[in-house]
């Protein structure tokens, strides 16, 4: 196991270096960094001096190495748009995105996985048909449209819930949380549901497909032929075997929640990293884009690592070699 | 007389489909007594497996029981609810499945699976159930059971896993065991052990067992009585000796006659043409026809193919070099094939015999040694164009009729492809004419040209494959297990066809098979392969009568004996044609 | 022997006899979805003739008609069935023109992704070894990032390279490339795994024994056998591509308001949501959902029909 995990760790580092290269490429070649730092009336000589002092004349690999070592220390440079250090901007907004994503991931999993199992076990029931129709609607409704509809209904027509921002937040050290105030919690409801629905419907469909696949296997048929109770077969044998592929899926889904948070944050003006990123994209604020890319990559790498380790817990074929 | 345990009366199984109900089993009557093994034998599509599932109440949708009754020890069990059937499944009727690799839950230890089943039916506490689990593993011949019981399925070999499956079926001491092709997925040597075990269990415990199989060898080995099924109907039931030696029904007769005999070489398989309408084979006048042209390749003496010190290695394992290992698939193999002979290569799965075929045809690159074909060393040729000159003269027939022809192409295009590619015909019209003639010649009929492969059965597809191989006008034909995926009667037809073609066209053949009786019927000389090495080369008859190498002796000893198989007194049609070569 | 006499029935006849068509006739959901999809595509393709107004012809647009509610509301006008937007453009007409852009981007990006993905998948699966490892590592890395994020990044890069006006002009192409580049992985992986299965099948070896060069085997033999799953992916990805385009346009990084897609229309309407002019958002949104839902239903049906064991 140690060998396997260290192998994975090595691969993860390679992935991070590649993503870092892309981020650096963005930073260095898309949009001239000098142009974004100096005014119109800077002389050529001053520009040259700045280029030299920033090390932009150094060999490519040296520049890349400097970029990586800065990034590891959390230094991503200055935002072109806001003229502030990128790391500060991100740290400020990170809690908002994480709180939103965690609640949504929890909602999507807590509802999606049981629904997927139910629809696989009872393929003919009316409830299954209802769930499947709902999930088809779910994957066909773009996230931003779900947000708009929720705003229209709960915010504009009924006026029950706030439709933008985080409400009041309380600072716990450097972490600002919306969990501790009534308005913070109320503000969280609509964005969280918006973000959860699309992921949930995907999870329902994927869990169902995997479970159906398992239910068709020989060992399930053999279990039936031995007279084992359907309860035991479905929940002990089938469910555990479904878990192996489902873990991968869930890992990917949790990751994509963070990406879809961009849309949700934009619809609800949620002051998170996603909103920061989308503004950076439309204003070509390269340092922010690069930093965000690296951060997301890091999150994915961590999730993948967790998924790999979970495999060991679930699947004895990896644990014990014959 | 022991008592009848399971009695199936007039069972009907139907599968509703787009084209109306398909009757999978019609008025099937079977019974099995305690201490008895009933063999149900039939070819694919005969409806053997649906009977077992119907008895257990486990028919897959949309299949249903359309009529008939099933009695277990005098009690009617057909028509019972699923809840009631659960008390019968596993407890009173055990079932053994075909593939031991997929029958066990990969995520639980053997102990957990056994204990779960034992506790479901017998209400033991944990310690008692575990003790019983260990004793069951001991009974099915798993060494060191108290330790092995805590292992996971993937830590067992295929044969051992099948023993675990049998132990699981025995958990609650069932009165009847249904075994659906219990040895089909196993190698010959393992197969014999599992059959021994089943026979021993039946005798010791006095259970009734139904073995469903397509393999006449299995029947001859273990069954007391045999029921022959054909298209959903039991055509004949009787004691094994009677069915094998002197069957009454015409289908049983042709089925038995199609079984390759291990004891004597026949010129042809008799009486098999009636089974699958195979179309009339039209003889071509080879002195004038395209196919007969340029058959004289010059020198016809000595060896056509001479293989020396051939080597091939496969690398397996991790891409970072860790844990990778090298498998010597072909290890210093030398042999030669003379003009006009049929050279057999026999061995168990993984012995490297198919790899040799792929080396000779340059699909794989060899790691060492030489392949001399008609005087040219093929391993030295670098250019595809040059290689193709020789490739045209050697063609190959493959094992799996369902994957060896491209399902997206019409039969005409499949067969015409080599003619077009090598520009062997002067015009498209001639190409089409040749394709039609080839189809006639292999017994499919020219009408087949415009159809797609899925419209044909396995045997017919194998004929397409043969026609394609003939389309380059080869002089050397490699047959890689050409009939191992086919039913026995179809196998006999295809083998007959290959023999005829060899005679007519003067082909030299390399015939690869794991099936010794088939080898005996087809080959003049045989090479025996084991773990990448060719351990013995001998004249066929010599090998079967007096094998020299230990491995050859072992293989020969595992052949089914078929005592009293269609002996000469009982089969007049065969008597005249049989000839010891 | 005459070939004409025993020639097979035409493609149409064979299609009508096929299981696929039989299956289709038995699925009311698929039939409705197919009709809706056809109507949407038809309406979008012939928007010039179908639409009652030309919303981009400034001569016919009157600001006095701005923000009219749908025709059945009290203040609605009969000539503006679904009402008008802030500039007096007919919402129904803008939906037809907008879905044209949405569909063009959808089809083009799916086509782009499919060609790229199939090519990579074929090469990777057939060649194996180092080439395969490299291509699949790239695919792995990309797959762990959601498509929308990659599309956003590519769009951001394009903005960085081009001046604003050029970007607006080329917005549709940028979107096609951005979405296409973020979608190719799925084709590549599916095609690759199919090719790895097909490559070891004996018909491929039969081709090698005949002496056919690799590229003929790849294109003539393997490719047709791996197209089934590709078709299913393409259908489902068409829906996804339309959603992605709409999302990007909604986020303001897609096509500009001067030639709006459905997503741009929703974005424009979103500003009027709180003041009660719901129709500017809701109708384009409904059109988008109907289109995506129909295509998704068709994709689901196709997947099940081509894969009978799933039912």
């Amino acid at each position: 196991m140690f060998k396997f995990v260290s192998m994975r760790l090595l691969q993860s580092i390679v992935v991070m270096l590649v993503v870092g290269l892309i981020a650096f490429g963005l930073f260095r070649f898309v949009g001239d960094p000098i142009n974004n730092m100096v005014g119109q009336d800077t002389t050529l000589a001053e520009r040259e001096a700045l280029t030299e002092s920033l090390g932009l004349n150094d060999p490519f690999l040296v520049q890349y190495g400097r970029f990586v070592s800065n990034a590891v220390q959390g230094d991503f440079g200055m935002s072109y748009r806001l003229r502030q250090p990128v790391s500060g901007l991100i740290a400020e907004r990170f809690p908002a995105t994480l709180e939103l994503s965690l609640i949504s991931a929890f909602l999507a999993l807590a509802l999606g996985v049981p629904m997927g199992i139910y629809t696989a076990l009872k393929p003919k029931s009316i409830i299954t048909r209802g769930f499947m129709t709902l999930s088809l609607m779910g994957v066909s409704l773009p996230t931003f449209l779900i947000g708009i509809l929720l705003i229209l209904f709960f915010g504009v027509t009924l006026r029950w819930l706030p439709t933008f921002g985080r409400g009041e937040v309380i600072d716990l050290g450097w972490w600002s949380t919306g969990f501790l105030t009534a308005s913070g919690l109320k503000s969280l409801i609509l964005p969280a549901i918006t973000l959860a629905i699309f992921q949930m419907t995907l999870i329902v469909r994927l869990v169902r497909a995997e479970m159906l696949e398992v239910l068709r296997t020989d060992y399930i048929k053999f279990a039936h032929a031995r007279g084992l109770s359907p309860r035991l077969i479905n929940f002990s044998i089938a469910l555990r075997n479904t878990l192996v592929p489902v873990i991968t899926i869930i890992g990917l889904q949790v990751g994509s929640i963070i990406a879809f948070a961009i849309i949700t944050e934009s619809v609800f003006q949620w002051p998170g990293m996603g909103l920061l990123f989308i503004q950076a994209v439309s204003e070509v604020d390269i340092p922010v884009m690069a930093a965000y890319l690296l951060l997301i990559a890091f999150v994915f790498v961590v999730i993948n690592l967790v998924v790999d380790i979970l495999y060991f817990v679930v699947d004895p074929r990896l644990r014990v070699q014959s | 007389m022991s008592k009848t345990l399971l009695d199936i009366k007039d069972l009907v199984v139907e599968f509703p489909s787009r084209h109306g109900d398909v009757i999978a089993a019609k008025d099937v009557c079977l019974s099995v007594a305690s201490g008895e093994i009933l063999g149900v034998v039939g070819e694919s599509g005969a409806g053997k497996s649906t009977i077992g599932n119907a008895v257990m109440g486990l028919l897959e949708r949309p299949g249903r029981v359309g009529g008939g009754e099933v009695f277990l020890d005098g009690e009617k069990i057909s028509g019972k609810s699923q809840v009631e059937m659960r008390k019968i499944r596993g407890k009173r009727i055990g079932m053994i499945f075909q593939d031991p690799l997929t029958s066990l839950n990969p995520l639980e230890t053997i102990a957990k699976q056994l204990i779960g089943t034992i506790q479901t039916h017998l209400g033991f506490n944990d310690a008692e159930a575990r003790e019983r689990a260990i004793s069951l593993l001991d009974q099915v011949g798993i060494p060191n059971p108290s330790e092995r019981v805590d292992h996971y399925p993937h830590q067992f070999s295929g044969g051992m896993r099948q023993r675990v499956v049998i132990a699981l079926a025995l958990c609650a001491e069932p009165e009847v065991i249904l075994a659906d092709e219990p040895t089909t997925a196993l190698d010959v040597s393992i197969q014999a052990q599992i059959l021994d075990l089943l026979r021993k269990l039946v005798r010791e415990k006095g259970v009734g067992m139904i073995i469903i199989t397509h393999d006449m060898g299995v029947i001859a080995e273990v069954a007391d009585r045999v029921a022959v099924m054909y298209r959903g109907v039991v055509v004949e039931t009787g004691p094994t000796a009677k069915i094998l030696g002197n069957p009454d029904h015409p289908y049983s007769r042709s089925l038995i006659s199609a079984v390759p005999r291990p004891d004597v070489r026949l010129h042809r398989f008799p009486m098999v043409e009636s089974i699958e309408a195979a179309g009339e084979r039209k003889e071509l006048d080879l002195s004038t026809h395209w196919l007969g042209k340029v058959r004289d390749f010059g020198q016809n003496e000595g060896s056509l193919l001479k293989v020396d010190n051939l080597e091939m290695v496969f690398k397996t394992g991790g891409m970072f070099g860790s844990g990778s290992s090298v498998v010597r698939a072909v290890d210093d193999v030398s042999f030669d094939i003379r003009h006009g002979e049929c050279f057999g290569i026999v061995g168990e799965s993984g012995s490297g015999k198919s790899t040799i075929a792929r080396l000779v045809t340059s699909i794989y690159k060899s790691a060492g040694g030489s392949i001399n074909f008609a005087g040219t060393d093929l391993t030295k040729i670098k250019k595809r164009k040059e290689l193709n000159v020789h490739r045209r003269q050697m063609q190959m027939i493959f094992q799996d009729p369902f994957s060896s022809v491209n399902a997206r192409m019409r039969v005409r295009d499949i067969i015409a492809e080599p003619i077009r590619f090598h520009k062997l015909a002067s015009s498209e019209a001639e190409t089409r004419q040749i394709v039609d003639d080839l189809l006639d010649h292999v017994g499919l009929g020219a009408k087949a040209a415009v159809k797609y492969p899925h419209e044909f059965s396995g045997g017919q597809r194998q004929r397409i494959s043969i026609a394609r191989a003939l389309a380059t006008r080869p002089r050397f034909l490699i047959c890689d297990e050409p009939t191992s995926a086919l039913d026995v009667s179809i196998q006999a037809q295809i083998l007959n066809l290959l023999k005829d073609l060899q005679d007519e066209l003067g082909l030299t053949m390399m015939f690869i098979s794991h099936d010794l009786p088939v080898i005996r019927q087809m080959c003049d000389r045989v090479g025996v392969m084991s773990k990448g090495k060719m351990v013995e080369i001998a004249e066929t008859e010599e090998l079967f009568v007096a094998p020299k190498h230990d491995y050859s002796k072992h293989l020969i000893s595992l052949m089914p004996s078929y005592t009293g198989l269609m002996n000469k007194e009982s089969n007049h049609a065969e008597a005249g044609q049989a000839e010891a070569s | 022997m005459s070939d004409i006499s025993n020639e097979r029935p035409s493609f149409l006849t064979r299609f009508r006899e096929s299981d696929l068509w039989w299956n289709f006739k038995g699925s009311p959901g698929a039939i409705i979805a197919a009709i809706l999809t056809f109507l949407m595509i038809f309406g979008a393709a012939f928007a010039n003739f179908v639409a009652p107004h030309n919303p981009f012809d400034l001569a016919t647009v009157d600001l006095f008609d701005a923000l009219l509610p749908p025709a059945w509301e009290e203040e609605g006008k009969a000539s503006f069935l679904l009402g008008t937007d802030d500039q007096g453009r007919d919402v129904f007409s803008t939906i037809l023109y907008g879905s044209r852009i949405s569909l063009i981007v959808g089809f083009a990006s799916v086509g782009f992704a499919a060609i790229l993905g199939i090519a990579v998948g074929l090469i990777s699966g057939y060649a194996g070894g180092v080439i395969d490892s490299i291509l699949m590592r790239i695919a792995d890395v990309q797959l762990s990032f959601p498509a929308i994020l990659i599309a956003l990044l590519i769009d951001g890069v394009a903005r960085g390279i081009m001046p604003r006006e050029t970007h607006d002009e080329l917005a549709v192409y940028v979107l096609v490339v951005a979405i296409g580049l973020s979608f190719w992985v799925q084709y590549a992986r599916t095609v690759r795994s199919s090719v790895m299965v097909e490559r070891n099948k004996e018909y491929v070896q039969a081709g090698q024994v005949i002496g056919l060069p690799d590229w003929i085997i790849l294109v003539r033999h393997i490719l047709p056998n791996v197209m089934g799953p590709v078709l299913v992916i393409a259908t489902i990805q068409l829906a996804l591509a339309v959603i992605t385009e709409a999302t990007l346009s909604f986020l303001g990084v897609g096509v500009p308001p001067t030639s709006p897609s459905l997503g741009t229309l929703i974005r424009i309407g979103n500003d009027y949501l709180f003041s009660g002019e719901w129709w500017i958002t809701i109708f384009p949104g409904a059109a988008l959902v109907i289109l995506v839902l129909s295509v998704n239903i068709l994709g689901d049906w196709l997947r099940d029909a081509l894969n009978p064991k799933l039912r």
Side-chain angles (χ1 to χ4, degrees), chain C residues 42-301:
Chain C
F42 182 86
F46 298 99
N48 310 26
F49 308 102
V50 180
H53 305 268
N54 181 353
F56 306 109
D57 182 359
L58 292 177
T60 64
V61 175
D62 190 344
L63 264 180
F64 285 111
D65 287 331
L67 299 177
L68 287 175
W72 57 86
E73 302 253 322
E74 257 178 51
E75 295 156 38
K77 268 197 194 170
S79 58
F80 300 109
L81 182 64
L82 302 180
T84 59
D85 68 3
D86 56 325
Q87 295 173 40
R89 298 186 293 200
D90 175 37
V91 170
F92 179 62
S93 304
T94 54
I95 288 175
L96 287 176
Y97 280 90
S99 43
R100 179 193 278 188
I101 305 237
S102 290
L103 280 167
I104 287 174
V105 173
F107 275 111
S109 55
V110 166
F112 179 60
I115 292 168
L116 184 65
I118 291 169
V120 170
L122 279 177
I123 293 168
S124 192
Y126 195 75
V130 182
I131 300 174
D132 178 44
S133 296
I134 294 172
L135 288 173
M136 283 305 113
R137 274 318 126 243
I138 296 174
D140 279 350
V141 172
Q142 185 171 338
L143 197 71
S144 52
F145 295 91
I148 188 108
L149 190 64
I150 293 171
L152 272 171
L153 270 174
I154 296 172
D155 191 77
V157 171
R159 274 162 200 279
I161 299 171
M162 310 173 195
R164 174 138 227 144
E165 301 74 42
T166 327
H167 183 271
D168 278 0
E169 265 170 49
L170 297 177
V172 168
Y173 301 98
V174 171
L175 276 178
V176 168
V177 171
I179 298 174
L181 280 181
S182 58
F183 275 13
W184 65 274
V185 176
Q186 236 201 319
Y187 295 95
R189 283 168 71 110
T190 309
V191 169
R192 171 180 173 268
S193 61
S194 304
V195 169
M196 306 239 313
V197 172
E198 296 294 325
R199 183 182 66 173
N200 292 320
K201 284 198 177 163
E202 289 169 346
Y203 72 88
V204 172
Q205 297 184 352
Q208 290 171 328
V209 172
I210 290 168
L212 301 177
D214 286 344
W215 71 269
I216 288 193
I217 293 178
L218 208 51
V219 173
R220 199 190 290 167
H221 291 272
I222 294 182
L223 186 59
N225 279 293
V226 301
M227 284 310 281
V230 167
L231 202 63
V232 173
I233 298 179
T235 317
I236 290 170
Q237 289 213 337
L238 177 62
L240 267 177
V242 170
I243 287 189
T244 308
E245 184 279 325
T247 304
L248 292 177
S249 293
F250 174 80
L251 293 175
V253 292
V255 289
T258 43
S259 55
S261 71
L262 289 176
T264 324
L265 291 176
I266 296 169
R267 176 188 174 80
I268 297 170
N270 197 27
D271 296 339
Y272 295 88
L273 205 56
F274 292 95
S275 51
E277 283 94 13
W278 52 271
W279 58 89
I280 311 178
T281 307
I282 295 304
F283 289 126
L288 179 66
V289 172
I290 290 170
L291 176 64
V292 172
L293 190 61
S294 308
V295 175
N296 268 334
I297 290 173
L298 279 180
D300 270 15
W301 165 79

Side-chain angles (χ1 to χ4, degrees), chain B residues 454-580:
Chain B
H454 71 259
E455 298 173 64
F456 296 95
S457 69
Q460 290 169 324
R461 286 176 184 219
Q462 211 57 320
R463 289 172 192 267
I464 297 173
S465 205
I466 293 172
R468 173 180 58 194
L470 293 180
T472 64
R473 279 189 302 217
R475 59 166 155 169
F476 181 51
L477 194 60
I478 299 172
C479 306
D480 184 9
E481 302 262 12
T483 59
S484 63
L486 302 177
D487 281 328
V488 63
S489 60
I490 310 297
Q491 161 172 291
Q493 291 179 1
I494 297 293
L495 293 180
N496 277 349
L497 175 65
L498 287 172
K499 285 184 173 208
D500 292 346
L501 290 171
Q502 190 189 11
D503 287 349
E504 290 164 14
L505 300 170
L507 294 171
T508 307
M509 297 217 298
M510 182 160 108
F511 193 96
I512 295 165
S513 179
H514 69 283
D515 190 334
L516 279 164
V518 168
I519 290 278
R520 184 163 203 173
Q521 299 306 316
M522 293 301 292
C523 305
D524 304 310
R525 286 193 308 138
V526 190
V528 181
M529 291 279 297
S530 171
K531 292 174 187 151
K533 287 190 183 297
M534 194 166 274
V535 296
E536 180 171 357
I537 299 176
E539 298 286 327
T540 307
E541 290 308 306
E542 202 178 304
L543 178 79
F544 278 77
V545 176
K548 291 200 179 63
H549 193 273
D550 285 346
Y551 182 73
S552 315
K553 286 179 192 160
H554 173 64
L555 269 189
I556 303 268
S557 74
L558 290 172
M559 279 200 305
S561 49
Y562 296 116
T563 31
L565 176 70
M566 286 282 258
N567 46 40
K568 281 176 186 149
E569 297 89 292
S570 69
N571 188 348
H572 314 287
E574 190 186 345
Q577 291 174 10
E579 54 169 46

